[in-house]
Amino acid sequence: DAGVIQSPRHEVTEMGQEVTLRCKPISGHNSLFWYRQTMMRGLELLIYFNNNVPIDDSGMPEDRFSAKMPNASFSTLKIQPSEPRDSAVYFCASMATSGRVVYEQYFGPGTRLTVT
Amino acid sequence: EDKVVQSPLSLVVHEGDTVTLNCSYEVTNFRSLLWYKQEKKAPTFLFMLTSSGIEKKSGRLSSILDKKELSSILNITATQTGDSAIYLCAVGGSGGSNYKLTFGKGTLLTVNP
């Protein structure tokens, strides 16, 4: 199994530019999560999808952030326009769910974003 | 709002020592508690504890869930330098189709030779 795949692994961009992060979940997993990790705030949930439908986006910082999941094997997180305070590591994670049974989340390698 | 607090924030020990990491939580409709290990990359799964499985063990690592005290501990015996990492505790709560996890800020463990 290839695991969760994220791209790019590193992104350096200038303030004001649009940034798109990509994620391919593990095949068969029907829940997908986007997290942001910084030293100050730790690991924060931004948004998660269940069966391609956004369930909870209360962690999305502001309107500059948007996420989509057009199908079961692909998701994007977009920041437009980007700001220096968006610099962080962004993780995508996926999980299999079945009724009330909950399994562990598997994390991708992350995208390290630097906005100058 | 769900809340997870880990202690200590950081810990430095020598190889061979035994360590205990703590996690306390406040969550609506507790479902599961998970421990992850994070080295210089993505968190990797260690254990999941639920109402039906309150104790887990794997090699030198073990974890116990105390639902009465709303807490969990992660024990590592005979520590090795390879155990150096951030250990994250996460709790899943609520019901229905809400499967999100709330993470603590982690405990940074440093094991010196």
Side-chain angles (χ1 to χ4, degrees), chain A residues 33 35 37 40-41 43 45 48 50 56 91 95 97 99 102 104-105 107-108, chain B residues 31-32 34 36 38 41-43 45 48 88 97-101 103 105:
Chain A
F33 304 79
Y35 292 92
Q37 187 175 41
M40 289 294 292
R41 300 175 67 91
L43 198 62
L45 177 67
Y48 87 92
N50 184 250
D56 187 338
F91 288 106
M95 181 174 79
T97 60
V102 178
E104 59 271 23
Q105 291 184 18
F107 283 76
Chain B
R31 184 180 293 197
S32 59
L34 294 83
Y36 285 84
Q38 185 175 24
K41 43 190 177 180
F45 173 76
M48 181 165 71
L88 296 167
S97 61
N98 190 341
Y99 300 108
K100 74 175 187 179
L101 296 177
F103 280 81
K105 286 192 164 43

PDB file of all heavy atoms in Angstrom, chain A residues 33 35 37 40-41 43 45 48 50 56 91 95 97 99 102 104-105 107-108, chain B residues 31-32 34 36 38 41-43 45 48 88 97-101 103 105:
ATOM      1  N   PHE A  33      -8.652  14.142   6.169  1.00  0.00           N
ATOM      2  CA  PHE A  33      -8.460  15.252   7.110  1.00  0.00           C
ATOM      3  C   PHE A  33      -7.287  16.118   6.637  1.00  0.00           C
ATOM      4  O   PHE A  33      -6.262  15.593   6.206  1.00  0.00           O
ATOM      5  CB  PHE A  33      -8.130  14.713   8.506  1.00  0.00           C
ATOM      6  CG  PHE A  33      -9.156  13.750   9.044  1.00  0.00           C
ATOM      7  CD1 PHE A  33      -9.170  12.432   8.629  1.00  0.00           C
ATOM      8  CD2 PHE A  33     -10.094  14.169   9.973  1.00  0.00           C
ATOM      9  CE1 PHE A  33     -10.113  11.534   9.124  1.00  0.00           C
ATOM     10  CE2 PHE A  33     -11.034  13.276  10.474  1.00  0.00           C
ATOM     11  CZ  PHE A  33     -11.043  11.965  10.041  1.00  0.00           C
ATOM     12  N   TYR A  35      -4.672  18.928   8.223  1.00  0.00           N
ATOM     13  CA  TYR A  35      -4.160  19.525   9.453  1.00  0.00           C
ATOM     14  C   TYR A  35      -3.074  20.534   9.117  1.00  0.00           C
ATOM     15  O   TYR A  35      -2.406  20.464   8.092  1.00  0.00           O
ATOM     16  CB  TYR A  35      -3.524  18.448  10.354  1.00  0.00           C
ATOM     17  CG  TYR A  35      -4.460  17.443  10.962  1.00  0.00           C
ATOM     18  CD1 TYR A  35      -4.738  16.244  10.319  1.00  0.00           C
ATOM     19  CD2 TYR A  35      -5.040  17.672  12.203  1.00  0.00           C
ATOM     20  CE1 TYR A  35      -5.575  15.299  10.899  1.00  0.00           C
ATOM     21  CE2 TYR A  35      -5.878  16.734  12.795  1.00  0.00           C
ATOM     22  CZ  TYR A  35      -6.139  15.554  12.131  1.00  0.00           C
ATOM     23  OH  TYR A  35      -6.970  14.630  12.709  1.00  0.00           O
ATOM     24  N   GLN A  37       0.366  22.194  11.201  1.00  0.00           N
ATOM     25  CA  GLN A  37       1.187  22.062  12.411  1.00  0.00           C
ATOM     26  C   GLN A  37       2.205  23.180  12.492  1.00  0.00           C
ATOM     27  O   GLN A  37       2.971  23.414  11.550  1.00  0.00           O
ATOM     28  CB  GLN A  37       1.901  20.713  12.459  1.00  0.00           C
ATOM     29  CG  GLN A  37       2.621  20.457  13.773  1.00  0.00           C
ATOM     30  CD  GLN A  37       3.220  19.057  13.858  1.00  0.00           C
ATOM     31  OE1 GLN A  37       3.772  18.549  12.891  1.00  0.00           O
ATOM     32  NE2 GLN A  37       3.104  18.422  15.034  1.00  0.00           N
ATOM     33  N   MET A  40       3.944  26.847  17.627  1.00  0.00           N
ATOM     34  CA  MET A  40       3.143  27.565  18.615  1.00  0.00           C
ATOM     35  C   MET A  40       1.802  26.883  18.900  1.00  0.00           C
ATOM     36  O   MET A  40       1.367  26.807  20.050  1.00  0.00           O
ATOM     37  CB  MET A  40       2.878  28.998  18.125  1.00  0.00           C
ATOM     38  CG  MET A  40       4.092  29.889  18.147  1.00  0.00           C
ATOM     39  SD  MET A  40       4.643  30.181  19.834  1.00  0.00           S
ATOM     40  CE  MET A  40       3.295  31.178  20.454  1.00  0.00           C
ATOM     41  N   ARG A  41       1.156  26.387  17.853  1.00  0.00           N
ATOM     42  CA  ARG A  41      -0.218  25.917  18.010  1.00  0.00           C
ATOM     43  C   ARG A  41      -0.359  24.398  17.928  1.00  0.00           C
ATOM     44  O   ARG A  41      -1.461  23.871  18.119  1.00  0.00           O
ATOM     45  CB  ARG A  41      -1.098  26.593  16.958  1.00  0.00           C
ATOM     46  CG  ARG A  41      -1.109  28.119  17.070  1.00  0.00           C
ATOM     47  CD  ARG A  41      -1.892  28.744  15.925  1.00  0.00           C
ATOM     48  NE  ARG A  41      -3.311  28.425  16.014  1.00  0.00           N
ATOM     49  CZ  ARG A  41      -4.200  29.172  16.649  1.00  0.00           C
ATOM     50  NH1 ARG A  41      -3.813  30.273  17.268  1.00  0.00           N
ATOM     51  NH2 ARG A  41      -5.467  28.829  16.683  1.00  0.00           N
ATOM     52  N   LEU A  43      -0.747  20.689  16.358  1.00  0.00           N
ATOM     53  CA  LEU A  43      -1.449  20.096  15.223  1.00  0.00           C
ATOM     54  C   LEU A  43      -2.915  20.511  15.285  1.00  0.00           C
ATOM     55  O   LEU A  43      -3.628  20.161  16.225  1.00  0.00           O
ATOM     56  CB  LEU A  43      -1.316  18.581  15.298  1.00  0.00           C
ATOM     57  CG  LEU A  43      -1.590  17.754  14.043  1.00  0.00           C
ATOM     58  CD1 LEU A  43      -0.626  18.109  12.933  1.00  0.00           C
ATOM     59  CD2 LEU A  43      -1.471  16.274  14.377  1.00  0.00           C
ATOM     60  N   LEU A  45      -6.697  20.738  13.337  1.00  0.00           N
ATOM     61  CA  LEU A  45      -7.543  20.257  12.257  1.00  0.00           C
ATOM     62  C   LEU A  45      -8.133  21.447  11.505  1.00  0.00           C
ATOM     63  O   LEU A  45      -8.716  22.340  12.113  1.00  0.00           O
ATOM     64  CB  LEU A  45      -8.671  19.391  12.814  1.00  0.00           C
ATOM     65  CG  LEU A  45      -9.674  18.882  11.782  1.00  0.00           C
ATOM     66  CD1 LEU A  45      -9.018  17.881  10.833  1.00  0.00           C
ATOM     67  CD2 LEU A  45     -10.872  18.238  12.484  1.00  0.00           C
ATOM     68  N   TYR A  48     -12.394  18.347   7.548  1.00  0.00           N
ATOM     69  CA  TYR A  48     -12.379  16.941   7.179  1.00  0.00           C
ATOM     70  C   TYR A  48     -13.600  16.568   6.357  1.00  0.00           C
ATOM     71  O   TYR A  48     -14.647  17.203   6.460  1.00  0.00           O
ATOM     72  CB  TYR A  48     -12.170  16.034   8.383  1.00  0.00           C
ATOM     73  CG  TYR A  48     -13.386  15.625   9.160  1.00  0.00           C
ATOM     74  CD1 TYR A  48     -14.068  14.444   8.855  1.00  0.00           C
ATOM     75  CD2 TYR A  48     -13.809  16.380  10.237  1.00  0.00           C
ATOM     76  CE1 TYR A  48     -15.157  14.053   9.597  1.00  0.00           C
ATOM     77  CE2 TYR A  48     -14.901  15.986  10.981  1.00  0.00           C
ATOM     78  CZ  TYR A  48     -15.568  14.821  10.666  1.00  0.00           C
ATOM     79  OH  TYR A  48     -16.655  14.428  11.401  1.00  0.00           O
ATOM     80  N   ASN A  50     -16.025  13.298   4.799  1.00  0.00           N
ATOM     81  CA  ASN A  50     -16.450  11.914   4.927  1.00  0.00           C
ATOM     82  C   ASN A  50     -17.231  11.558   3.664  1.00  0.00           C
ATOM     83  O   ASN A  50     -18.200  12.253   3.327  1.00  0.00           O
ATOM     84  CB  ASN A  50     -17.302  11.713   6.179  1.00  0.00           C
ATOM     85  CG  ASN A  50     -17.678  10.257   6.409  1.00  0.00           C
ATOM     86  OD1 ASN A  50     -18.826   9.860   6.266  1.00  0.00           O
ATOM     87  ND2 ASN A  50     -16.705   9.465   6.754  1.00  0.00           N
ATOM     88  N   ASP A  56     -16.849  19.048   8.634  1.00  0.00           N
ATOM     89  CA  ASP A  56     -16.521  20.064   9.638  1.00  0.00           C
ATOM     90  C   ASP A  56     -15.393  20.921   9.100  1.00  0.00           C
ATOM     91  O   ASP A  56     -14.280  20.440   8.916  1.00  0.00           O
ATOM     92  CB  ASP A  56     -16.107  19.377  10.942  1.00  0.00           C
ATOM     93  CG  ASP A  56     -15.903  20.375  12.087  1.00  0.00           C
ATOM     94  OD1 ASP A  56     -15.675  21.571  11.825  1.00  0.00           O
ATOM     95  OD2 ASP A  56     -15.954  19.936  13.257  1.00  0.00           O
ATOM     96  N   PHE A  91      -0.480  18.681   6.885  1.00  0.00           N
ATOM     97  CA  PHE A  91      -0.614  17.234   6.773  1.00  0.00           C
ATOM     98  C   PHE A  91      -2.003  16.869   6.266  1.00  0.00           C
ATOM     99  O   PHE A  91      -3.003  17.481   6.632  1.00  0.00           O
ATOM    100  CB  PHE A  91      -0.417  16.551   8.134  1.00  0.00           C
ATOM    101  CG  PHE A  91       0.995  16.549   8.632  1.00  0.00           C
ATOM    102  CD1 PHE A  91       1.383  17.394   9.664  1.00  0.00           C
ATOM    103  CD2 PHE A  91       1.938  15.684   8.097  1.00  0.00           C
ATOM    104  CE1 PHE A  91       2.678  17.384  10.145  1.00  0.00           C
ATOM    105  CE2 PHE A  91       3.245  15.671   8.558  1.00  0.00           C
ATOM    106  CZ  PHE A  91       3.610  16.529   9.583  1.00  0.00           C
ATOM    107  N   MET A  95      -8.608   7.874   6.823  1.00  0.00           N
ATOM    108  CA  MET A  95      -9.079   6.905   7.797  1.00  0.00           C
ATOM    109  C   MET A  95     -10.244   6.127   7.206  1.00  0.00           C
ATOM    110  O   MET A  95     -11.046   6.683   6.451  1.00  0.00           O
ATOM    111  CB  MET A  95      -9.544   7.649   9.052  1.00  0.00           C
ATOM    112  CG  MET A  95     -10.039   6.801  10.184  1.00  0.00           C
ATOM    113  SD  MET A  95     -10.392   7.812  11.657  1.00  0.00           S
ATOM    114  CE  MET A  95     -11.979   8.486  11.204  1.00  0.00           C
ATOM    115  N   THR A  97     -13.771   4.298   7.986  1.00  0.00           N
ATOM    116  CA  THR A  97     -14.830   4.326   8.991  1.00  0.00           C
ATOM    117  C   THR A  97     -15.937   3.377   8.564  1.00  0.00           C
ATOM    118  O   THR A  97     -16.168   3.172   7.369  1.00  0.00           O
ATOM    119  CB  THR A  97     -15.422   5.732   9.159  1.00  0.00           C
ATOM    120  OG1 THR A  97     -15.974   6.154   7.913  1.00  0.00           O
ATOM    121  CG2 THR A  97     -14.362   6.719   9.588  1.00  0.00           C
ATOM    122  N   GLY A  99     -19.745   2.723  10.202  1.00  0.00           N
ATOM    123  CA  GLY A  99     -20.732   2.898  11.256  1.00  0.00           C
ATOM    124  C   GLY A  99     -20.102   3.563  12.453  1.00  0.00           C
ATOM    125  O   GLY A  99     -19.456   4.598  12.327  1.00  0.00           O
ATOM    126  N   VAL A 102     -14.429   3.124  14.737  1.00  0.00           N
ATOM    127  CA  VAL A 102     -13.441   4.139  14.368  1.00  0.00           C
ATOM    128  C   VAL A 102     -12.069   3.486  14.293  1.00  0.00           C
ATOM    129  O   VAL A 102     -11.684   2.741  15.189  1.00  0.00           O
ATOM    130  CB  VAL A 102     -13.411   5.278  15.401  1.00  0.00           C
ATOM    131  CG1 VAL A 102     -12.353   6.299  15.027  1.00  0.00           C
ATOM    132  CG2 VAL A 102     -14.773   5.922  15.498  1.00  0.00           C
ATOM    133  N   GLU A 104      -7.721   4.043  13.118  1.00  0.00           N
ATOM    134  CA  GLU A 104      -6.703   5.083  13.266  1.00  0.00           C
ATOM    135  C   GLU A 104      -6.571   5.883  11.985  1.00  0.00           C
ATOM    136  O   GLU A 104      -6.869   5.417  10.894  1.00  0.00           O
ATOM    137  CB  GLU A 104      -5.361   4.461  13.650  1.00  0.00           C
ATOM    138  CG  GLU A 104      -4.819   3.460  12.664  1.00  0.00           C
ATOM    139  CD  GLU A 104      -5.280   2.042  12.927  1.00  0.00           C
ATOM    140  OE1 GLU A 104      -6.338   1.856  13.582  1.00  0.00           O
ATOM    141  OE2 GLU A 104      -4.597   1.114  12.469  1.00  0.00           O
ATOM    142  N   GLN A 105      -6.108   7.126  12.141  1.00  0.00           N
ATOM    143  CA  GLN A 105      -5.806   7.972  11.005  1.00  0.00           C
ATOM    144  C   GLN A 105      -4.367   7.740  10.574  1.00  0.00           C
ATOM    145  O   GLN A 105      -3.472   7.645  11.408  1.00  0.00           O
ATOM    146  CB  GLN A 105      -5.985   9.448  11.368  1.00  0.00           C
ATOM    147  CG  GLN A 105      -7.425   9.845  11.601  1.00  0.00           C
ATOM    148  CD  GLN A 105      -7.580  11.320  11.870  1.00  0.00           C
ATOM    149  OE1 GLN A 105      -6.690  12.121  11.580  1.00  0.00           O
ATOM    150  NE2 GLN A 105      -8.718  11.704  12.408  1.00  0.00           N
ATOM    151  N   PHE A 107      -1.256   9.351   8.412  1.00  0.00           N
ATOM    152  CA  PHE A 107      -0.813  10.658   7.943  1.00  0.00           C
ATOM    153  C   PHE A 107       0.081  10.545   6.713  1.00  0.00           C
ATOM    154  O   PHE A 107       0.873   9.608   6.582  1.00  0.00           O
ATOM    155  CB  PHE A 107      -0.034  11.380   9.051  1.00  0.00           C
ATOM    156  CG  PHE A 107      -0.910  11.975  10.112  1.00  0.00           C
ATOM    157  CD1 PHE A 107      -1.501  11.182  11.078  1.00  0.00           C
ATOM    158  CD2 PHE A 107      -1.156  13.341  10.137  1.00  0.00           C
ATOM    159  CE1 PHE A 107      -2.316  11.721  12.052  1.00  0.00           C
ATOM    160  CE2 PHE A 107      -1.968  13.891  11.114  1.00  0.00           C
ATOM    161  CZ  PHE A 107      -2.550  13.081  12.070  1.00  0.00           C
ATOM    162  N   GLY A 108      -0.042  11.537   5.837  1.00  0.00           N
ATOM    163  CA  GLY A 108       0.899  11.685   4.747  1.00  0.00           C
ATOM    164  C   GLY A 108       2.178  12.339   5.242  1.00  0.00           C
ATOM    165  O   GLY A 108       2.267  12.739   6.406  1.00  0.00           O
TER     166      GLY A 108
ATOM    167  N   ARG B  31     -15.110   8.593  22.349  1.00  0.00           N
ATOM    168  CA  ARG B  31     -15.148   7.435  21.465  1.00  0.00           C
ATOM    169  C   ARG B  31     -13.820   6.686  21.482  1.00  0.00           C
ATOM    170  O   ARG B  31     -13.794   5.467  21.546  1.00  0.00           O
ATOM    171  CB  ARG B  31     -15.497   7.883  20.045  1.00  0.00           C
ATOM    172  CG  ARG B  31     -15.667   6.761  19.057  1.00  0.00           C
ATOM    173  CD  ARG B  31     -16.001   7.274  17.682  1.00  0.00           C
ATOM    174  NE  ARG B  31     -17.318   7.892  17.629  1.00  0.00           N
ATOM    175  CZ  ARG B  31     -17.985   8.126  16.494  1.00  0.00           C
ATOM    176  NH1 ARG B  31     -17.459   7.794  15.352  1.00  0.00           N
ATOM    177  NH2 ARG B  31     -19.157   8.718  16.512  1.00  0.00           N
ATOM    178  N   SER B  32     -12.716   7.416  21.413  1.00  0.00           N
ATOM    179  CA  SER B  32     -11.415   6.747  21.348  1.00  0.00           C
ATOM    180  C   SER B  32     -10.310   7.713  21.757  1.00  0.00           C
ATOM    181  O   SER B  32     -10.469   8.932  21.668  1.00  0.00           O
ATOM    182  CB  SER B  32     -11.140   6.231  19.932  1.00  0.00           C
ATOM    183  OG  SER B  32     -11.163   7.303  19.010  1.00  0.00           O
ATOM    184  N   LEU B  34      -6.062   8.048  21.068  1.00  0.00           N
ATOM    185  CA  LEU B  34      -4.975   7.521  20.249  1.00  0.00           C
ATOM    186  C   LEU B  34      -3.652   8.155  20.656  1.00  0.00           C
ATOM    187  O   LEU B  34      -3.592   9.332  21.020  1.00  0.00           O
ATOM    188  CB  LEU B  34      -5.223   7.799  18.768  1.00  0.00           C
ATOM    189  CG  LEU B  34      -6.414   7.107  18.112  1.00  0.00           C
ATOM    190  CD1 LEU B  34      -7.704   7.859  18.348  1.00  0.00           C
ATOM    191  CD2 LEU B  34      -6.182   6.931  16.614  1.00  0.00           C
ATOM    192  N   TYR B  36       0.259   8.821  19.107  1.00  0.00           N
ATOM    193  CA  TYR B  36       1.087   8.857  17.916  1.00  0.00           C
ATOM    194  C   TYR B  36       2.516   9.244  18.313  1.00  0.00           C
ATOM    195  O   TYR B  36       2.732   9.971  19.279  1.00  0.00           O
ATOM    196  CB  TYR B  36       0.583   9.901  16.917  1.00  0.00           C
ATOM    197  CG  TYR B  36      -0.653   9.512  16.146  1.00  0.00           C
ATOM    198  CD1 TYR B  36      -1.919   9.698  16.698  1.00  0.00           C
ATOM    199  CD2 TYR B  36      -0.559   8.986  14.867  1.00  0.00           C
ATOM    200  CE1 TYR B  36      -3.062   9.350  15.988  1.00  0.00           C
ATOM    201  CE2 TYR B  36      -1.708   8.637  14.141  1.00  0.00           C
ATOM    202  CZ  TYR B  36      -2.943   8.826  14.714  1.00  0.00           C
ATOM    203  OH  TYR B  36      -4.074   8.492  14.010  1.00  0.00           O
ATOM    204  N   GLN B  38       5.857  11.150  16.675  1.00  0.00           N
ATOM    205  CA  GLN B  38       6.279  11.988  15.555  1.00  0.00           C
ATOM    206  C   GLN B  38       7.755  12.291  15.666  1.00  0.00           C
ATOM    207  O   GLN B  38       8.186  12.975  16.588  1.00  0.00           O
ATOM    208  CB  GLN B  38       5.465  13.283  15.496  1.00  0.00           C
ATOM    209  CG  GLN B  38       5.792  14.122  14.276  1.00  0.00           C
ATOM    210  CD  GLN B  38       4.924  15.348  14.139  1.00  0.00           C
ATOM    211  OE1 GLN B  38       4.377  15.846  15.127  1.00  0.00           O
ATOM    212  NE2 GLN B  38       4.777  15.843  12.921  1.00  0.00           N
ATOM    213  N   LYS B  41       9.074  13.909  10.862  1.00  0.00           N
ATOM    214  CA  LYS B  41       8.190  13.747   9.714  1.00  0.00           C
ATOM    215  C   LYS B  41       6.757  13.610  10.210  1.00  0.00           C
ATOM    216  O   LYS B  41       6.386  14.277  11.154  1.00  0.00           O
ATOM    217  CB  LYS B  41       8.610  12.539   8.890  1.00  0.00           C
ATOM    218  CG  LYS B  41       8.970  11.314   9.733  1.00  0.00           C
ATOM    219  CD  LYS B  41       9.601  10.222   8.916  1.00  0.00           C
ATOM    220  CE  LYS B  41      10.013   9.056   9.821  1.00  0.00           C
ATOM    221  NZ  LYS B  41      10.639   7.952   9.074  1.00  0.00           N
ATOM    222  N   ALA B  42       5.975  12.774   9.577  1.00  0.00           N
ATOM    223  CA  ALA B  42       4.555  12.675   9.914  1.00  0.00           C
ATOM    224  C   ALA B  42       4.338  11.829  11.169  1.00  0.00           C
ATOM    225  O   ALA B  42       5.133  10.942  11.472  1.00  0.00           O
ATOM    226  CB  ALA B  42       3.789  12.059   8.743  1.00  0.00           C
ATOM    227  N   PRO B  43       3.266  12.101  11.898  1.00  0.00           N
ATOM    228  CA  PRO B  43       2.932  11.243  13.044  1.00  0.00           C
ATOM    229  C   PRO B  43       2.658   9.810  12.591  1.00  0.00           C
ATOM    230  O   PRO B  43       2.011   9.592  11.563  1.00  0.00           O
ATOM    231  CB  PRO B  43       1.658  11.894  13.605  1.00  0.00           C
ATOM    232  CG  PRO B  43       1.668  13.295  13.095  1.00  0.00           C
ATOM    233  CD  PRO B  43       2.338  13.231  11.765  1.00  0.00           C
ATOM    234  N   PHE B  45       1.124   6.054  13.940  1.00  0.00           N
ATOM    235  CA  PHE B  45       0.194   5.513  14.911  1.00  0.00           C
ATOM    236  C   PHE B  45       0.866   4.524  15.856  1.00  0.00           C
ATOM    237  O   PHE B  45       1.659   3.677  15.417  1.00  0.00           O
ATOM    238  CB  PHE B  45      -0.953   4.831  14.163  1.00  0.00           C
ATOM    239  CG  PHE B  45      -1.902   4.076  15.028  1.00  0.00           C
ATOM    240  CD1 PHE B  45      -2.844   4.742  15.795  1.00  0.00           C
ATOM    241  CD2 PHE B  45      -1.859   2.697  15.093  1.00  0.00           C
ATOM    242  CE1 PHE B  45      -3.729   4.039  16.593  1.00  0.00           C
ATOM    243  CE2 PHE B  45      -2.740   1.993  15.889  1.00  0.00           C
ATOM    244  CZ  PHE B  45      -3.677   2.667  16.639  1.00  0.00           C
ATOM    245  N   MET B  48      -4.525   2.677  19.903  1.00  0.00           N
ATOM    246  CA  MET B  48      -5.859   3.257  20.053  1.00  0.00           C
ATOM    247  C   MET B  48      -6.540   2.554  21.217  1.00  0.00           C
ATOM    248  O   MET B  48      -6.543   1.325  21.302  1.00  0.00           O
ATOM    249  CB  MET B  48      -6.704   3.097  18.794  1.00  0.00           C
ATOM    250  CG  MET B  48      -8.082   3.733  18.936  1.00  0.00           C
ATOM    251  SD  MET B  48      -8.957   3.959  17.389  1.00  0.00           S
ATOM    252  CE  MET B  48      -9.348   2.281  16.970  1.00  0.00           C
ATOM    253  N   LEU B  88       2.263  12.375  20.633  1.00  0.00           N
ATOM    254  CA  LEU B  88       0.996  13.092  20.545  1.00  0.00           C
ATOM    255  C   LEU B  88      -0.148  12.220  21.034  1.00  0.00           C
ATOM    256  O   LEU B  88      -0.218  11.036  20.719  1.00  0.00           O
ATOM    257  CB  LEU B  88       0.712  13.495  19.095  1.00  0.00           C
ATOM    258  CG  LEU B  88       1.696  14.478  18.453  1.00  0.00           C
ATOM    259  CD1 LEU B  88       1.482  14.528  16.947  1.00  0.00           C
ATOM    260  CD2 LEU B  88       1.536  15.862  19.050  1.00  0.00           C
ATOM    261  N   SER B  97     -21.598  10.982  12.285  1.00  0.00           N
ATOM    262  CA  SER B  97     -20.527  10.874  11.306  1.00  0.00           C
ATOM    263  C   SER B  97     -19.348  11.773  11.651  1.00  0.00           C
ATOM    264  O   SER B  97     -18.541  12.090  10.802  1.00  0.00           O
ATOM    265  CB  SER B  97     -21.054  11.221   9.921  1.00  0.00           C
ATOM    266  OG  SER B  97     -21.541  12.556   9.920  1.00  0.00           O
ATOM    267  N   ASN B  98     -19.267  12.209  12.909  1.00  0.00           N
ATOM    268  CA  ASN B  98     -18.172  13.072  13.310  1.00  0.00           C
ATOM    269  C   ASN B  98     -17.016  12.223  13.781  1.00  0.00           C
ATOM    270  O   ASN B  98     -17.035  11.659  14.874  1.00  0.00           O
ATOM    271  CB  ASN B  98     -18.639  14.018  14.415  1.00  0.00           C
ATOM    272  CG  ASN B  98     -17.609  15.091  14.693  1.00  0.00           C
ATOM    273  OD1 ASN B  98     -16.448  14.950  14.347  1.00  0.00           O
ATOM    274  ND2 ASN B  98     -18.035  16.159  15.318  1.00  0.00           N
ATOM    275  N   TYR B  99     -15.994  12.104  12.951  1.00  0.00           N
ATOM    276  CA  TYR B  99     -14.852  11.262  13.288  1.00  0.00           C
ATOM    277  C   TYR B  99     -13.599  12.062  13.574  1.00  0.00           C
ATOM    278  O   TYR B  99     -12.509  11.533  13.558  1.00  0.00           O
ATOM    279  CB  TYR B  99     -14.564  10.315  12.123  1.00  0.00           C
ATOM    280  CG  TYR B  99     -15.716   9.398  11.792  1.00  0.00           C
ATOM    281  CD1 TYR B  99     -16.473   9.584  10.646  1.00  0.00           C
ATOM    282  CD2 TYR B  99     -16.036   8.341  12.626  1.00  0.00           C
ATOM    283  CE1 TYR B  99     -17.517   8.748  10.350  1.00  0.00           C
ATOM    284  CE2 TYR B  99     -17.087   7.494  12.327  1.00  0.00           C
ATOM    285  CZ  TYR B  99     -17.822   7.706  11.184  1.00  0.00           C
ATOM    286  OH  TYR B  99     -18.862   6.867  10.878  1.00  0.00           O
ATOM    287  N   LYS B 100     -13.730  13.332  13.832  1.00  0.00           N
ATOM    288  CA  LYS B 100     -12.511  14.128  13.962  1.00  0.00           C
ATOM    289  C   LYS B 100     -11.812  13.854  15.278  1.00  0.00           C
ATOM    290  O   LYS B 100     -12.425  13.453  16.266  1.00  0.00           O
ATOM    291  CB  LYS B 100     -12.825  15.610  13.825  1.00  0.00           C
ATOM    292  CG  LYS B 100     -13.509  16.260  15.013  1.00  0.00           C
ATOM    293  CD  LYS B 100     -13.646  17.755  14.758  1.00  0.00           C
ATOM    294  CE  LYS B 100     -14.174  18.491  15.978  1.00  0.00           C
ATOM    295  NZ  LYS B 100     -14.279  19.948  15.703  1.00  0.00           N
ATOM    296  N   LEU B 101     -10.485  14.061  15.277  1.00  0.00           N
ATOM    297  CA  LEU B 101      -9.649  13.917  16.453  1.00  0.00           C
ATOM    298  C   LEU B 101      -9.191  15.293  16.919  1.00  0.00           C
ATOM    299  O   LEU B 101      -8.902  16.159  16.101  1.00  0.00           O
ATOM    300  CB  LEU B 101      -8.414  13.070  16.147  1.00  0.00           C
ATOM    301  CG  LEU B 101      -8.637  11.616  15.747  1.00  0.00           C
ATOM    302  CD1 LEU B 101      -7.299  10.957  15.416  1.00  0.00           C
ATOM    303  CD2 LEU B 101      -9.335  10.857  16.871  1.00  0.00           C
ATOM    304  N   PHE B 103      -6.097  16.920  18.973  1.00  0.00           N
ATOM    305  CA  PHE B 103      -4.747  16.574  19.384  1.00  0.00           C
ATOM    306  C   PHE B 103      -4.268  17.478  20.515  1.00  0.00           C
ATOM    307  O   PHE B 103      -4.580  18.681  20.560  1.00  0.00           O
ATOM    308  CB  PHE B 103      -3.769  16.714  18.212  1.00  0.00           C
ATOM    309  CG  PHE B 103      -3.787  15.558  17.265  1.00  0.00           C
ATOM    310  CD1 PHE B 103      -4.759  15.459  16.284  1.00  0.00           C
ATOM    311  CD2 PHE B 103      -2.828  14.558  17.349  1.00  0.00           C
ATOM    312  CE1 PHE B 103      -4.782  14.380  15.404  1.00  0.00           C
ATOM    313  CE2 PHE B 103      -2.840  13.478  16.485  1.00  0.00           C
ATOM    314  CZ  PHE B 103      -3.824  13.395  15.511  1.00  0.00           C
ATOM    315  N   LYS B 105      -0.787  19.139  22.434  1.00  0.00           N
ATOM    316  CA  LYS B 105       0.395  19.775  21.854  1.00  0.00           C
ATOM    317  C   LYS B 105       1.623  18.867  21.871  1.00  0.00           C
ATOM    318  O   LYS B 105       2.645  19.206  21.289  1.00  0.00           O
ATOM    319  CB  LYS B 105       0.685  21.082  22.572  1.00  0.00           C
ATOM    320  CG  LYS B 105      -0.306  22.177  22.202  1.00  0.00           C
ATOM    321  CD  LYS B 105       0.126  23.525  22.673  1.00  0.00           C
ATOM    322  CE  LYS B 105      -0.628  24.669  22.011  1.00  0.00           C
ATOM    323  NZ  LYS B 105      -2.059  24.462  21.890  1.00  0.00           N
TER     324      LYS B 105
END
